[in-house]
Amino acid sequence: MAQGICDGDSWGLCMSGVSSLRAHSPATGSGRWHSLADHLRGTAVLARRFAAPFGGGEVAYWLGALHDVGKASCAWQDKLAVVGSTGEAVGIDHKSLGTRVAQERGLGPFAGAIFGHHGGLVDTPGLPQALRKRLADGSGDVASAERELPVLLPDLPQELGSLVPADWRGDLLVGEMALRLCYSALVDADSLDTSAHFQGLAGPRVSADADFSHLYQRFEGRRRAEIAGRGGSPIAALREQIYADCLAAAEREPGVFRLGAPTGAGKTLASGAFALRHAEKHGLRRVIVAVPFLTITEQNAAVYRRLLDEEGGEPVVLEHHSQADFDDPDAGRWARLAAENWDAPFVVTTFVRLFESLYARKPSAMRRVHRLANSVIVLDEVQALPHAMLVPILDGLRLLVRHFGATVLLSSATQPSFWALEEFKDVPCTDLIHDTPRLVSELRRVRYEWQLDPQPTLADIADQAAAERSALVVVNTTADAKAVFERWNDAAQEGTVWHLSTRMCPDHRRRVLNEVRARLDEHERVLLVATQLIEAGVDVSFPVVFRAMAPADSLLQAAGRANREGRMAGGGRVVVFAPQDGGQPPSYKTLVGCTGRQFGPDKADPDDVAALGRYYRNVYDMLNLADGQHVGKRIQCARQRWEFETVADGPMDASTGRRDRKLAFRMIDDDAINVVTPQGAETPELRLELEEAIVDLRHAPVPDLAKLRRLQAYTTNLHPSALRQPGVMALLRPILGTEVRRGALVEWIGEYDPATGINLDPNMEQFVF
């Protein structure tokens, strides 16, 4: 029973007992069990690869090597032999031994990554007690597994603490972020190695590092070809100057950058070129573009795919905005294997996916987090970040840049005053545009009008818009959008009125936008009503825009949909109105008050840069973001204590014995339900294909990631208030899991209007998502 000479990547095991230890049952249709030694080795090597770029390679390696050593116990192996053919879980603890060994040998709280590699990270102060209980409850199992440890891991050092970088130990917030990244590397490696076994693959599928030099050249070549085929416009030269300034700045050292250019200035292309060139220059791993709304995700992903993907080749651009919760036990034992891990050179996602992943605690949500290190993170329309979460968001960005090799680009026509907040006040920043007020003046394309007193009705505004050749009306709720649309639809010529809101699935919205753009290009009549999803970054141009009173940044973003190319001699019109019968989200009250203090008749227009700065500072003061009792500050305190459950799920409420989700990290206040609408498909054949995919997902032991991606374009959100309406629950059928609740993925089997989408009573869904 000789033992081979081992290095960190190959243990050369030839012990007959060890070789018979198993980590997982055979894949369906296969008799090959997953060797425990192979699984530990495969997970460790892959975790090291993922964590090496941010200095955590050796820490992650030993977390991976130790994560499943508890499976070596006799009881665990015997139970696996019994349930292996059924797909049932073994149900015997296998994490405690590895956690204890990692802790005792110097990894300290980083051992929590092993303890939480299935159930999620726990509050670190409670880890010792939880571990002691686990060890006591399974003392015999731990002892039998520990006897195998010297043979399973013959090169396990007695001391691992020296592997932890000094700055991770010296600053609590740095260490907390480092544990998140190491945990991400571990659970991604574990999932990939496990998935490869169950798919019968020779090894995990991991993409090779991207050649950003090649990708940048492809992007630039295709962009130039597109520009050559376009007609000129008054602002084309300014866009080219902005683009050139961004490329020049890409040569600078990694850090925080700011692109504050007006709407219509070509920020999508300029920021994409900056990110690619910067990644090439500094050897960064990927580009991650995050945006606030699904509409922009779809639009920007289409632009970047056109410039980067090769027909028939491996896709460069990954679009990810799935809201399904794969960590929900009700979703199925192996559901987390299908979670998206952002293994692509260029990722387009949403703010919700990015930041709720960063501050999550469960494996499937956090698999992708390690990809943020040594990457270019572009936050497009950054003004839309939720104010309540700014403190932890900004601090997380600061740490990723200062300690984990990331570059962050903040892009917006309405740059917030983040440097007025403590978390960002000492963060150096490079402006890509040096004279923003001059640029705003040169790119001014609209004039503002105000209808605030007396207040018009929605019908008044609908009638005013209908008197125009073409017009866009932007309102604050889905109910208001439907009311304006129905007012038009009763009288307008067929094919001239359109509706956009989150009641429509993304592909339906895409088709409407394509039709609207085509009609506008042909100078045909278009009346479009939309919620705020039309505002940030959506490329449409109307002669007149009516915007319901809203926060200042929304007013300016809506103005960016008027006279976008600057071709109108007198400029476009933007009519800001306060509808007497209109609704608004509760969060708007304070923001609209701050807007009224700075902007309006006889005050500044929304594109006044100095007034915008005053507006943001006023908002931060009115919302008490710096107050120690504010939710953002409380989350920061929980992060300093390494309380991962408290950050993700809220602090424990002593009176109820439950966690208070209102004090958890949440990008969206209300818990939306994720609804797939195959009825939104363009053709009956496509609808049938989607319905078949839904059936397959319901019955698959491991959800097919390709099918889940296919459904993204037909998945939208319902506000939880909709579920209280009698009869609605009966029209929602679970796809993953067995219940209709937050995090579930469900199918809508009710009516879907070809113009307005999911057919609900307007009073049931009052808020914009």
Side-chain angles (χ1 to χ4, degrees):
M1 293 195 291
Q3 177 179 303
I5 297 174
C6 302
D7 60 28
D9 290 348
S10 176
W11 294 318
L13 299 173
C14 55
M15 296 291 290
S16 58
V18 171
S19 64
S20 67
L21 295 176
R22 297 158 171 172
H24 300 110
S25 56
T28 304
S30 165
R32 187 175 68 86
W33 293 75
H34 198 187
S35 156
L36 179 57
D38 288 347
H39 179 52
L40 296 179
R41 172 173 54 84
T43 301
V45 171
L46 206 50
R48 170 195 277 158
R49 174 176 169 181
F50 292 155
F54 58 84
E58 296 311 304
V59 173
Y61 180 89
W62 288 109
L63 292 174
L66 288 164
H67 84 289
D68 269 359
V69 292
K71 289 183 176 181
S73 76
C74 296
W76 201 96
Q77 291 292 315
D78 290 345
K79 183 66 179 293
L80 178 64
V82 172
V83 303
S85 60
T86 68
E88 295 177 27
V90 171
I92 296 174
D93 174 71
H94 67 270
K95 63 190 180 184
S96 300
L97 174 59
T99 305
R100 195 204 75 197
V101 172
Q103 201 172 62
E104 289 177 346
R105 300 202 182 196
L107 291 185
F110 285 88
I114 296 175
F115 194 79
H117 76 272
H118 283 307
L121 291 168
V122 300
D123 285 351
T124 298
L127 177 59
Q129 181 179 351
L131 179 59
R132 282 195 299 271
K133 184 177 187 307
R134 288 275 188 172
L135 291 169
D137 290 346
S139 57
D141 297 336
V142 170
S144 70
E146 193 167 11
R147 286 193 291 270
E148 304 291 346
L149 194 59
V151 186
L152 268 176
L153 304 179
D155 56 344
L156 175 65
Q158 286 297 317
E159 201 283 318
L160 297 172
S162 61
L163 303 178
V164 179
D167 61 337
W168 296 12
R169 295 183 179 278
D171 184 313
L172 289 172
L173 288 171
V174 175
E176 190 258 7
M177 184 61 71
L179 177 49
R180 290 182 181 278
L181 292 167
C182 287
Y183 177 77
S184 172
L186 168 62
V187 296
D188 194 20
D190 182 22
S191 293
L192 287 168
D193 193 74
T194 302
S195 184
H197 165 71
F198 280 103
Q199 294 177 36
L201 303 176
R205 288 176 174 164
V206 182
S207 298
D209 292 341
D211 181 350
F212 277 106
S213 176
H214 177 66
L215 291 178
Y216 168 67
Q217 294 301 328
R218 181 188 297 171
F219 182 97
E220 178 61 9
R222 291 181 178 177
R223 186 194 76 94
R224 288 189 178 278
E226 286 190 0
I227 290 174
R230 294 176 186 166
S233 75
I235 62 173
L238 283 170
R239 286 177 178 162
E240 281 300 293
Q241 183 58 55
I242 291 168
Y243 187 88
D245 289 346
C246 288
L247 286 184
E251 305 288 325
R252 303 280 294 269
E253 289 301 307
V256 175
F257 294 79
R258 185 165 51 188
L259 175 55
T263 54
K267 291 189 294 296
T268 299
L269 293 181
S271 60
F274 166 89
L276 290 166
R277 181 74 181 103
H278 191 74
E280 174 197 359
K281 174 72 175 175
H282 299 288
L284 302 186
R285 297 192 299 168
R286 64 186 32 79
V287 173
I288 298 168
V289 177
V291 299
F293 307 121
L294 291 181
T295 310
I296 322 174
T297 309
E298 301 140 20
Q299 176 181 282
N300 287 10
V303 170
Y304 293 133
R305 274 195 293 264
R306 190 174 71 241
L307 295 173
L308 288 170
D309 282 355
E310 288 278 23
E311 187 174 350
E314 188 72 19
V316 173
V317 178
L318 168 68
E319 180 182 358
H320 178 232
H321 44 76
S322 171
Q323 303 276 320
D325 180 4
F326 297 113
D327 287 307
D328 186 339
D330 195 42
R333 181 180 169 208
W334 298 111
R336 71 187 181 95
L337 298 182
E340 186 60 73
N341 70 342
W342 291 357
D343 188 13
F346 200 109
V347 178
V348 182
T349 189
T350 60
F351 288 170
V352 171
R353 287 300 88 200
L354 172 60
F355 291 108
E356 289 203 353
S357 295
L358 180 61
Y359 288 123
R361 70 177 193 92
K362 292 294 189 74
S364 77
M366 294 193 71
R367 281 184 64 179
R368 61 193 73 105
V369 168
H370 68 90
R371 309 283 186 185
L372 299 175
N374 284 60
S375 295
V376 185
I377 303 168
V378 178
L379 302 180
D380 197 7
E381 308 298 350
V382 71
Q383 79 286 344
L385 287 170
H387 295 110
M389 295 295 115
L390 276 182
V391 167
I393 285 173
L394 294 180
D395 188 65
L397 295 174
R398 175 186 68 85
L399 292 171
L400 288 169
V401 169
R402 188 167 293 174
H403 297 276
F404 300 100
T407 278
V408 170
L409 173 60
L410 307 173
S411 178
S412 176
T414 54
Q415 282 289 339
S417 301
F418 290 155
W419 282 260
L421 296 172
E422 181 182 354
E423 288 68 26
F424 241 43
K425 67 179 181 181
D426 295 325
V427 176
C429 179
T430 300
D431 279 305
L432 305 190
I433 306 298
H434 301 297
D435 190 352
T436 300
R438 180 188 64 81
L439 187 63
V440 168
S441 177
E442 292 182 3
L443 282 173
R444 183 169 285 124
R445 305 180 306 278
V446 301
R447 62 186 187 278
Y448 290 88
E449 302 173 12
W450 304 83
Q451 295 187 25
L452 307 180
D453 186 18
Q455 294 178 279
T457 63
L458 288 171
D460 292 336
I461 294 299
D463 292 345
Q464 288 182 47
E468 303 289 336
R469 171 67 180 173
S470 289
L472 167 65
V473 176
V474 185
V475 291
N476 291 326
T477 72
T478 54
D480 289 359
K482 192 169 186 181
V484 171
F485 176 81
E486 289 176 344
R487 174 82 173 188
W488 286 342
N489 205 37
D490 290 340
Q493 180 181 347
E494 186 176 353
T496 62
V497 300
W498 305 88
H499 168 280
L500 278 176
S501 81
T502 51
R503 293 187 186 180
M504 303 155 65
C505 70
D507 191 70
H508 188 178
R509 299 198 295 263
R510 177 190 60 79
R511 298 197 305 270
V512 168
L513 280 170
N514 286 345
E515 180 67 21
V516 164
R517 289 188 186 107
R519 292 182 65 88
L520 289 171
D521 288 345
E522 296 298 322
H523 306 289
E524 297 178 4
R525 178 171 168 78
V526 176
L527 295 177
L528 173 65
V529 61
T531 56
Q532 64 174 341
L533 62 82
I534 192 69
E535 290 175 344
V538 178
D539 188 6
V540 291
S541 181
F542 284 83
V544 58
V545 171
F546 294 82
R547 182 43 169 118
M549 190 61 176
D553 50 290
S554 288
L555 300 184
L556 184 52
Q557 292 292 337
R561 308 318 117 195
N563 189 28
R564 193 168 178 83
E565 296 296 325
R567 300 181 190 278
M568 296 178 63
R573 289 174 58 218
V574 177
V575 181
V576 181
F577 65 97
Q580 59 181 265
D581 53 348
Q584 65 179 23
S587 61
Y588 270 26
K589 183 177 180 180
T590 297
L591 306 183
V592 168
C594 293
T595 299
R597 281 189 280 278
Q598 302 295 335
F599 307 100
D602 303 320
K603 299 178 183 176
D605 284 338
D607 58 4
D608 186 305
V609 175
L612 273 172
R614 293 193 298 272
Y615 161 77
Y616 280 117
R617 291 189 292 274
N618 185 211
V619 167
Y620 301 159
D621 288 343
M622 294 295 294
L623 295 178
N624 296 316
L625 298 193
D627 188 275
Q629 292 304 305
H630 187 273
V631 61
K633 288 290 190 181
R634 295 179 68 166
I635 288 170
Q636 281 295 93
C637 288
R639 289 186 57 224
Q640 288 181 315
R641 297 189 296 266
W642 293 30
E643 293 179 347
F644 298 97
E645 291 172 283
T646 301
V647 171
D649 304 324
M652 191 66 73
D653 186 327
S655 63
T656 64
R658 297 179 180 179
R659 292 193 175 271
D660 186 351
R661 291 175 58 85
K662 292 180 181 177
L663 296 176
F665 185 90
R666 286 288 178 272
M667 294 294 287
I668 300 174
D669 289 337
D670 296 289
D671 295 335
I673 307 300
N674 310 295
V675 181
V676 180
T677 58
Q679 308 92 323
E682 189 170 11
T683 66
E685 293 78 15
L686 180 54
R687 175 174 177 173
L688 180 61
E689 177 191 328
L690 296 171
E691 290 171 342
E692 290 173 349
I694 290 170
V695 171
D696 290 345
L697 285 166
R698 280 199 179 103
H699 296 100
V702 179
D704 187 321
L705 183 54
K707 288 187 172 68
L708 286 165
R709 285 179 179 169
R710 187 77 177 93
L711 295 183
Q712 278 190 164
Y714 304 91
T715 303
T716 189
N717 294 328
L718 279 184
H719 190 273
S721 62
L723 304 185
R724 295 194 288 270
Q725 181 74 10
V728 170
M729 288 288 286
L731 300 175
L732 297 170
R733 184 175 298 167
I735 297 174
L736 297 180
T738 58
E739 293 184 58
V740 176
R741 54 190 171 92
R742 182 189 184 275
L745 187 67
V746 303
E747 177 188 9
W748 174 254
I749 59 174
E751 184 178 345
Y752 187 96
D753 189 277
T756 58
I758 292 175
N759 195 2
L760 295 171
D761 184 313
N763 294 321
M764 291 165 54
E765 192 183 18
Q766 292 291 327
F767 309 120
V768 176
F769 283 91

